[in-house]
Amino acid sequence: MAVVDHKKADATQESLHRIFTVPEAPESTLGRIEKEISENLNVFLQTHIAAREKPLAEIEKDFSSADIPEHPSFVSDHTHFLLDKLVAQSVHTSAPTFIGHMTSALPYFLMPLSKIMIGLNQNLVKIETSKAFTPLERQVLGMLHNLIYHEDDAFYQQWMHSANHSLGAFCSGGTIANITALWVARNSALKPDGEFKGVTQEGLFKAMKHYGYEDLVVLVSERGHYSLKKSADVLGLGRDCLIPIKTDSHNRVCVDQMRAKLDELKQQNIKPFAIVGVAGTTETGNIDPLEALADLAQEYGCHFHVDAAWGGATLMSNTYRSLLKGIERADSVTIDAHKQLYVPMGAGMVIFKNPALMTAIEHHAEYILRKGSKDLGSHTLEGSRSGMAMLLYASLNIISRPGYEMLINTSIEKAQYFASLIAQHPDFELISEPELCLLTYRYAPARTQEALRLADPEQREELLAALDDMTKFIQKRQRESGKSFVSRTRITPEAWDRRLTTVFRVVLANPLTTEQILKDVLEEQKDIAKQSLISFPKINTLTESILNQQVTL
Amino acid sequence: MAVVDHKKADATQESLHRIFTVPEAPESTLGRIEKEISENLNVFLQTHIAAREKPLAEIEKDFSSADIPEHPSFVSDHTHFLLDKLVAQSVHTSAPTFIGHMTSALPYFLMPLSKIMIGLNQNLVKIETSKAFTPLERQVLGMLHNLIYHEDDAFYQQWMHSANHSLGAFCSGGTIANITALWVARNSALKPDGEFKGVTQEGLFKAMKHYGYEDLVVLVSERGHYSLKKSADVLGLGRDCLIPIKTDSHNRVCVDQMRAKLDELKQQNIKPFAIVGVAGTTETGNIDPLEALADLAQEYGCHFHVDAAWGGATLMSNTYRSLLKGIERADSVTIDAHKQLYVPMGAGMVIFKNPALMTAIEHHAEYILRKGSKDLGSHTLEGSRSGMAMLLYASLNIISRPGYEMLINTSIEKAQYFASLIAQHPDFELISEPELCLLTYRYAPARTQEALRLADPEQREELLAALDDMTKFIQKRQRESGKSFVSRTRITPEAWDRRLTTVFRVVLANPLTTEQILKDVLEEQKDIAKQSLISFPKINTLTESILNQQVTL
């Protein structure tokens, strides 16, 4: 028995060793499996549906055991399981009909190139585990800095590869980028002063006592991304410290209201340590007046951060970059490469205008990140990080700036086309005009739109609430039917007296989305709506009663 | 001219469209490029050298322009650039002779499987962009929870897929995992109370005033990872709030000293809201007495977090899991799957014992993460995240628990072997014994070791300082020669009166590292040392003068 066990252990040892040593030659088992995966993925990625609908509870059954397997599986068997149960039930985020979120088709060349990233498995926290990947990442940060700030060559020669400096940080996403920016801003605002060793060292409680502020706040448009609230929580400032400022009819922050707030805070001895401008709101894609915000930040001595996670890529377009005028005055900027720079998930960045700013969060250790080293990890919120920067680097080189310009321009113009389609359609209502490639709208039958104009406040509210329910219903039903996907959200349009309104939200970043697809999306929604009016008879009843009432009057 | 421009634009449009639509068939250009990449990577990965040395300043020349290209590159040309300038100058982190950091060879099956992750590009923040990946990630979190806490089936059936709960979070790495754990602990310690809305909402300054604490601190061994200091900074507590507790001769925290500190803090009205136990110190791989720390945490009412980023994988081994006894009483645990669970970079996790704990950091938004949804993003520090969990899922299934056990056991036993090799060698000195697969040591010629025993304090310090310089020299020279790589750090060994001492640090996780390689590493170090004694003649001069002095006496 012991002999058998020993033999078994040897066999396992042998098979484990193989796992780490046998590469994928075309004729090998792994080579065959890879081919199968590629073919399967290609079929999946070329099938233009948003998702094959199966209830989540059903899917959960395939992922229900919390036991770690006691027996190994063959790679081929497990691959089949993954293709059947995972891939087939995943979301086709790159389908041209998937226009509900900020995902898109990716350039196919990233598939083979990502092998380099996965295969080399570099760790960018330090040079010792990344070597050439570190200068590459520093260069990409330099390129993005250049895109935003246009400093001269001498600037980049001096700072891009400087050991004790960093032009920014690669992050897993925009949330970490925003946290990093506000972390730097907070630490700079509460810096060492006399006996006080700074918030970095002594913490917020002592910092506030030292500086004698009543409170510390950040001002941002009411359309700011939810990650800012999360940042405020993490950083110990509290969610209440994020002061939402009203937006105008185009979802852009009202600068006058922000100024008034800043004056009010001054009176109350509350320190506004940062102003955040939004360049591409998550829900409607609008851009704050960045130039005016830069003026305010300068006047009131605040750190000026621009959350351009979405809109930053627009700087690639000579035609549309002026929409972001003023961004070059920001102290820090967030850009997500996995959004409209078309690289896979996990490529956020924060860029700082001044190469010295990140010293506010610098840290060292004995075994790595020693002072004077060029290790990127001394200026990042994260520790170990993958070589994701290389995929952005490759895309910048292969697509080039004019290529990106074309992608950006096409997406914006497609949104303008879709907006005109909606505006012309009697049964749809455009809620927010596209400034970038995002827009919101809803289904509202022509007669109901007329009734809304004539209704008294009570009737109006009743009708609007019914429309909210129907929008939600249509969105869910369309998603479930699996042909196409738009998302939904709730915003407060000025045209409807800032009433919280449920709307369809569309992001048109995928270059494969055609005008015909957009027409079909509306058609499908109209069809679902027609059926749904059976579930929501109230809309017709109310509409007719309001219109009849008018005739009677 | 205008016509030409138009044609050019059309051509670019066409080529851009191709980028997004033409997949990699074996006979296509991309198929050919992929084959070339695979072959190149296989050669690189099978060449057993740590890195081809080229000075960093040289490499930086290839990555020196901050201009985003104005002209597109062909995929094939750019691939060649990457293979020549990036891959060839990267670090072979998976080489069997690369034993300096926590990277290892990866199972080859992860290469084809990672295609699924990259190709599908799911976003795990919400179900709408991840579908089956969400139950899969929840299952993996359940499996890891099970590995640590061994709850019964009913527990996992109730909580694993529960909409308003989360057994933990996937993170980009251990740093984010540690921050998340301390964030939860901080928010739980300063929770809403009467009029006070909690630190989440009102921030630290008001929280401290409400609760009337003088300060808020975390206790951890002086060997705690630097990410904990970073966490303390980010969370607004300040780096000083991290109170380092002395360790014993095995680099394990002294529980008595921690207890004494806790009593002292009580006297000062300082709130120790968390105790961190280290399961696998970064530098020496030792494990704190977790059971005793759990007792302390219970007695003093602190959150008990275990940083098992490295050591957590040891739970897979029936032989060695008892080293972590007490971890099952932790409120939260950090584990990095990209360390000894052998998946690529970017797979950290934090696991919480109590499924309700993460509500302390729960957040929602209008367009996603709505209440009652199963979106994972409502309980994560990060926002958008990739489907990395699937690679761990596949590894857990393909390797299985006994497979992992073999990997863990082999690594620990290899470290024991290497330790005995060093201990037996007259010219080397073992500084820390391996408890897991890490150890530290240095070169010290036999006669110098003897001289050290006889030296007076002044001579001793002089000699030790010279040894520090030599250790640093050897480590650098060995790295530069490119055959093998060990790292170096500075620790305070009890045997040397806690003097800050420079040592070689070795991590033996790579299953392909053979005993012969370990012998060769020592040989190479000895050779470099012999040559280096010309640069450091002081060591011999001092050694001989001390030994002669003794003879004279």
Side-chain angles (χ1 to χ4, degrees):
Chain A
M1 185 65 193
V3 176
V4 173
D5 272 1
H6 199 82
K7 266 194 184 158
K8 213 171 124 192
D10 274 358
T12 318
Q13 179 91 52
E14 170 64 22
S15 97
L16 268 182
H17 199 260
R18 281 174 60 88
I19 280 179
F20 286 86
T21 50
V22 179
E24 21 156 357
E27 67 284 0
S28 70
T29 309
L30 273 189
R32 192 173 44 72
I33 289 170
E34 170 152 20
K35 196 159 159 272
E36 198 177 338
I37 290 175
S38 297
E39 283 164 8
N40 184 299
L41 283 181
N42 286 341
V43 170
F44 182 83
L45 293 177
Q46 292 183 339
T47 310
H48 288 188
I49 54 157
R52 274 185 256 168
E53 190 69 16
K54 190 175 173 181
L56 195 60
E58 278 295 303
I59 297 175
E60 284 169 358
K61 285 181 191 158
D62 295 322
F63 301 96
S64 62
S65 165
D67 296 331
I68 296 174
E70 276 293 320
H71 298 284
S73 297
F74 286 114
V75 178
S76 50
D77 291 348
H78 189 66
T79 302
H80 288 144
F81 173 86
L82 290 175
L83 294 177
D84 277 4
K85 303 297 185 183
L86 183 69
V87 175
Q89 297 303 330
S90 64
V91 179
H92 190 352
T93 55
S94 60
T97 54
F98 188 90
I99 54 174
H101 285 301
M102 292 170 166
T103 55
S104 153
L106 294 180
Y108 269 98
F109 65 75
L110 289 173
M111 291 282 275
L113 291 183
S114 63
K115 272 200 162 174
I116 297 180
M117 177 179 82
I118 301 279
L120 295 184
N121 201 31
Q122 306 289 288
N123 183 350
L124 271 285
V125 73
K126 50 187 179 278
I127 302 240
E128 285 180 351
T129 51
S130 63
K131 202 66 190 274
F133 274 72
T134 289
L136 176 143
E137 183 166 310
R138 283 179 174 272
Q139 185 185 10
V140 175
L141 291 170
M143 285 173 165
L144 271 289
H145 191 284
N146 197 354
L147 181 68
I148 301 164
Y149 298 111
H150 308 295
E151 299 287 351
D152 59 16
D153 264 8
F155 176 93
Y156 295 106
Q157 292 318 311
Q158 179 171 8
W159 301 115
M160 204 159 70
H161 294 291
S162 164
N164 296 310
H165 297 84
S166 195
L167 295 178
F170 253 82
C171 317
S172 66
T175 298
I176 300 294
N178 279 339
I179 295 176
T180 304
L182 292 179
W183 181 25
V184 166
R186 187 201 70 184
N187 286 11
S188 304
L190 303 174
K191 61 174 182 285
D193 173 46
E195 292 282 284
F196 175 64
K197 291 181 290 171
V199 66
T200 314
Q201 212 58 39
E202 298 196 31
L204 264 173
F205 186 44
K206 289 177 187 160
M208 296 294 280
K209 286 195 285 188
H210 175 82
Y211 279 101
Y213 300 130
E214 272 305 307
D215 209 344
L216 212 62
V217 298
V218 178
L219 282 75
V220 63
S221 135
E222 56 183 341
R223 294 274 175 275
H225 189 255
Y226 74 91
S227 64
L228 295 168
K229 225 171 218 177
K230 190 152 56 165
S231 309
D233 176 3
V234 174
L235 292 169
L237 306 162
R239 292 176 187 170
D240 289 351
C241 96
L242 201 76
I243 300 190
I245 306 293
K246 284 259 168 286
T247 47
D248 64 17
S249 58
H250 290 286
N251 297 295
R252 297 177 196 131
V253 73
C254 298
V255 178
D256 290 346
Q257 295 223 17
M258 194 179 280
R259 174 183 291 280
K261 192 68 194 180
L262 283 165
D263 288 333
E264 188 189 320
L265 293 167
K266 211 173 195 174
Q267 300 284 322
Q268 299 168 312
N269 185 32
I270 293 174
K271 169 79 179 171
F273 75 98
I275 287 176
V276 179
V278 185
T281 59
T282 314
E283 284 153 313
T284 57
N286 293 104
I287 300 161
D288 283 341
L290 302 180
E291 192 83 74
L293 291 183
D295 289 340
L296 268 193
Q298 195 174 337
E299 189 178 337
Y300 289 83
C302 317
H303 180 105
F304 179 36
H305 176 64
V306 173
D307 181 357
W310 179 258
T314 311
L315 295 170
M316 293 283 191
S317 164
N318 291 341
T319 312
Y320 292 107
R321 72 168 287 146
S322 61
L323 288 173
L324 280 80
K325 186 93 189 65
I327 196 172
E328 70 285 356
R329 293 173 61 196
D331 295 298
S332 55
V333 174
T334 290
I335 297 190
D336 274 351
H338 55 242
K339 296 203 165 89
Q340 231 181 341
L341 291 175
Y342 299 92
V343 303
M345 209 49 65
M349 282 170 287
V350 58
I351 308 289
F352 289 87
K353 183 182 185 114
N354 178 345
L357 254 181
M358 287 198 100
T359 52
I361 59 160
E362 192 174 296
H363 47 267
H364 300 280
E366 282 291 356
Y367 72 113
I368 50 166
L369 318 180
R370 301 175 192 106
K371 276 192 184 164
S373 84
K374 293 189 176 183
D375 294 346
L376 284 160
S378 49
H379 294 101
T380 54
L381 175 55
E382 292 160 280
S384 296
R385 286 180 307 105
S386 76
M388 181 57 87
M390 74 147 278
L391 295 187
L392 178 53
Y393 179 84
S395 297
L396 290 171
N397 278 284
I398 293 170
I399 298 178
S400 82
R401 208 251 343 127
Y404 275 114
E405 159 142 32
M406 199 155 296
L407 288 167
I408 300 291
N409 294 359
T410 308
S411 74
I412 294 176
E413 284 146 22
K414 204 178 293 166
Q416 289 164 353
Y417 167 80
F418 194 39
S420 71
L421 216 59
I422 294 163
Q424 285 160 24
H425 199 299
D427 295 333
F428 284 93
E429 184 191 354
L430 186 66
I431 303 286
S432 63
E433 294 267 2
E435 189 172 357
L436 298 176
C437 65
L438 277 77
L439 57 86
T440 62
Y441 67 104
R442 70 172 164 188
Y443 177 81
R447 282 183 69 78
T448 303
Q449 291 190 42
E450 195 188 336
L452 278 169
R453 277 188 291 275
L454 303 169
D456 67 34
E458 205 175 313
Q459 292 169 324
R460 195 166 123 137
E461 176 49 38
E462 216 174 340
L463 204 42
L464 287 171
L467 280 177
D468 285 344
D469 290 343
M470 190 166 68
T471 306
K472 191 172 162 182
F473 177 89
I474 297 171
Q475 189 267 347
K476 278 188 158 178
R477 181 58 61 89
Q478 188 170 29
R479 188 193 72 205
E480 285 160 14
S481 83
K483 278 209 290 277
S484 52
F485 173 77
V486 305
S487 59
R488 71 169 199 275
T489 189
R490 295 196 299 173
I491 54 174
T492 52
E494 193 152 275
W496 292 106
D497 302 328
R498 303 193 156 271
R499 182 186 169 280
L500 196 61
T501 302
T502 304
V503 295
F504 302 129
R505 167 176 168 270
V506 155
V507 187
L508 291 169
N510 193 330
L512 306 180
T513 306
T514 59
E515 295 187 350
Q516 187 57 48
I517 286 174
L518 298 177
K519 285 178 193 156
D520 292 348
V521 164
L522 286 193
E523 262 326 291
E524 192 187 8
Q525 289 181 329
K526 214 180 116 184
D527 286 349
I528 299 172
K530 291 242 164 93
Q531 296 157 30
S532 78
L533 283 169
I534 301 162
S535 314
F536 299 94
K538 203 181 187 179
I539 292 179
N540 277 345
T541 322
L542 260 171
T543 298
E544 298 312 322
S545 96
I546 293 165
L547 293 177
N548 285 334
Q549 190 182 338
Q550 290 298 322
V551 173
T552 326
L553 283 176
Chain B
M1 187 64 194
V3 176
V4 173
D5 273 1
H6 199 83
K7 266 193 185 162
K8 212 170 125 192
D10 273 358
T12 317
Q13 179 90 53
E14 170 64 23
S15 96
L16 269 181
H17 199 260
R18 282 173 60 88
I19 281 179
F20 286 86
T21 50
V22 180
E24 19 156 1
E27 67 284 1
S28 69
T29 309
L30 273 189
R32 190 173 45 71
I33 289 171
E34 170 152 18
K35 196 159 161 272
E36 195 177 339
I37 289 175
S38 297
E39 283 164 8
N40 184 299
L41 283 181
N42 286 341
V43 170
F44 182 83
L45 293 177
Q46 291 184 339
T47 310
H48 288 187
I49 54 157
R52 272 185 256 168
E53 190 69 15
K54 190 174 173 182
L56 195 60
E58 278 296 302
I59 296 175
E60 283 169 358
K61 286 181 191 157
D62 295 322
F63 301 96
S64 62
S65 165
D67 295 330
I68 297 174
E70 277 292 321
H71 297 284
S73 297
F74 286 114
V75 178
S76 50
D77 292 347
H78 189 65
T79 302
H80 288 145
F81 173 86
L82 290 175
L83 294 176
D84 278 4
K85 303 296 185 184
L86 183 71
V87 175
Q89 299 303 330
S90 65
V91 180
H92 190 353
T93 55
S94 61
T97 53
F98 188 90
I99 55 175
H101 285 301
M102 292 170 166
T103 55
S104 153
L106 295 181
Y108 270 97
F109 64 76
L110 289 173
M111 293 280 276
L113 290 183
S114 63
K115 273 201 162 173
I116 296 179
M117 178 180 81
I118 301 279
L120 294 184
N121 201 32
Q122 306 290 286
N123 183 349
L124 270 286
V125 73
K126 50 187 180 278
I127 304 236
E128 284 180 351
T129 51
S130 63
K131 203 62 190 277
F133 274 73
T134 288
L136 176 143
E137 182 166 309
R138 284 178 173 272
Q139 185 185 10
V140 175
L141 292 170
M143 285 175 166
L144 271 289
H145 191 285
N146 197 354
L147 182 69
I148 300 164
Y149 298 111
H150 307 295
E151 299 287 353
D152 59 16
D153 264 9
F155 176 92
Y156 296 105
Q157 292 317 311
Q158 181 170 7
W159 301 115
M160 204 159 70
H161 294 291
S162 164
N164 297 309
H165 298 84
S166 195
L167 295 177
F170 252 82
C171 318
S172 66
T175 298
I176 300 293
N178 279 338
I179 294 176
T180 304
L182 293 179
W183 180 27
V184 165
R186 186 200 70 183
N187 286 12
S188 303
L190 304 173
K191 61 174 181 287
D193 173 46
E195 293 281 285
F196 175 64
K197 291 180 288 169
V199 66
T200 313
Q201 212 60 39
E202 298 196 31
L204 264 173
F205 185 44
K206 289 176 187 161
M208 295 294 280
K209 286 195 285 189
H210 175 82
Y211 279 101
Y213 300 131
E214 272 305 309
D215 210 344
L216 213 60
V217 297
V218 179
L219 282 76
V220 65
S221 136
E222 55 184 341
R223 295 273 175 276
H225 189 255
Y226 74 91
S227 64
L228 295 168
K229 225 170 218 177
K230 190 151 58 164
S231 309
D233 176 3
V234 174
L235 292 169
L237 306 162
R239 293 176 187 169
D240 289 350
C241 96
L242 201 76
I243 300 189
I245 305 291
K246 284 259 168 289
T247 46
D248 65 16
S249 58
H250 290 286
N251 297 295
R252 297 177 196 129
V253 74
C254 298
V255 178
D256 290 346
Q257 295 224 16
M258 194 179 280
R259 174 183 291 278
K261 191 70 194 179
L262 284 165
D263 288 333
E264 189 190 320
L265 293 167
K266 211 173 194 175
Q267 299 285 322
Q268 299 168 310
N269 185 32
I270 293 173
K271 169 79 179 170
F273 74 99
I275 287 176
V276 179
V278 185
T281 59
T282 313
E283 283 153 314
T284 58
N286 294 104
I287 300 160
D288 283 341
L290 302 179
E291 193 82 75
L293 291 183
D295 289 340
L296 269 193
Q298 196 174 337
E299 190 179 335
Y300 289 82
C302 317
H303 180 105
F304 179 36
H305 175 64
V306 173
D307 181 357
W310 179 257
T314 312
L315 295 170
M316 292 283 192
S317 163
N318 291 341
T319 312
Y320 292 107
R321 73 167 288 147
S322 61
L323 290 172
L324 281 79
K325 186 94 189 66
I327 196 171
E328 70 285 356
R329 293 173 61 197
D331 295 298
S332 55
V333 174
T334 289
I335 297 191
D336 273 351
H338 56 241
K339 297 201 166 91
Q340 232 181 341
L341 291 175
Y342 300 92
V343 303
M345 208 49 64
M349 281 170 289
V350 58
I351 307 289
F352 289 87
K353 184 180 184 117
N354 178 344
L357 255 181
M358 286 197 101
T359 52
I361 59 161
E362 192 174 297
H363 47 267
H364 300 280
E366 282 292 355
Y367 72 114
I368 50 166
L369 317 179
R370 301 175 192 105
K371 278 195 182 159
S373 84
K374 292 188 176 184
D375 294 346
L376 285 160
S378 49
H379 294 101
T380 54
L381 176 53
E382 293 160 280
S384 297
R385 285 181 308 105
S386 77
M388 181 56 89
M390 74 147 278
L391 295 186
L392 177 54
Y393 180 84
S395 298
L396 290 171
N397 279 283
I398 293 170
I399 298 178
S400 82
R401 209 253 340 130
Y404 275 114
E405 159 141 32
M406 197 155 298
L407 288 167
I408 300 291
N409 295 358
T410 309
S411 74
I412 293 177
E413 285 145 22
K414 203 179 293 165
Q416 288 163 354
Y417 167 81
F418 194 39
S420 70
L421 217 59
I422 293 164
Q424 285 160 24
H425 198 299
D427 296 332
F428 283 93
E429 185 191 353
L430 186 65
I431 303 286
S432 63
E433 294 267 3
E435 189 171 358
L436 298 176
C437 65
L438 277 77
L439 56 87
T440 63
Y441 67 104
R442 69 172 164 189
Y443 178 81
R447 282 182 70 78
T448 303
Q449 289 190 44
E450 197 188 335
L452 278 169
R453 276 189 292 273
L454 304 168
D456 66 33
E458 204 176 316
Q459 292 169 323
R460 196 168 124 135
E461 177 49 38
E462 216 175 340
L463 204 43
L464 288 172
L467 281 178
D468 284 346
D469 289 343
M470 191 166 66
T471 306
K472 191 171 162 183
F473 178 88
I474 297 170
Q475 189 266 347
K476 277 188 159 179
R477 181 59 60 91
Q478 189 170 29
R479 187 193 73 205
E480 284 160 13
S481 83
K483 279 210 289 279
S484 52
F485 173 76
V486 307
S487 60
R488 71 171 199 273
T489 190
R490 295 195 300 172
I491 55 174
T492 52
E494 193 152 275
W496 292 107
D497 303 328
R498 303 194 156 269
R499 180 186 172 283
L500 196 61
T501 302
T502 305
V503 295
F504 302 128
R505 167 176 168 271
V506 155
V507 187
L508 292 168
N510 193 330
L512 306 180
T513 306
T514 60
E515 294 187 350
Q516 187 56 50
I517 285 175
L518 298 177
K519 285 179 193 154
D520 292 347
V521 164
L522 285 193
E523 263 327 290
E524 192 187 7
Q525 289 181 329
K526 214 181 114 185
D527 288 347
I528 298 172
K530 290 243 164 90
Q531 296 157 31
S532 77
L533 282 169
I534 301 164
S535 315
F536 299 94
K538 202 181 187 181
I539 293 179
N540 277 346
T541 324
L542 259 171
T543 298
E544 297 312 322
S545 95
I546 293 165
L547 293 178
N548 287 335
Q549 188 182 340
Q550 290 297 324
V551 173
T552 327
L553 283 178

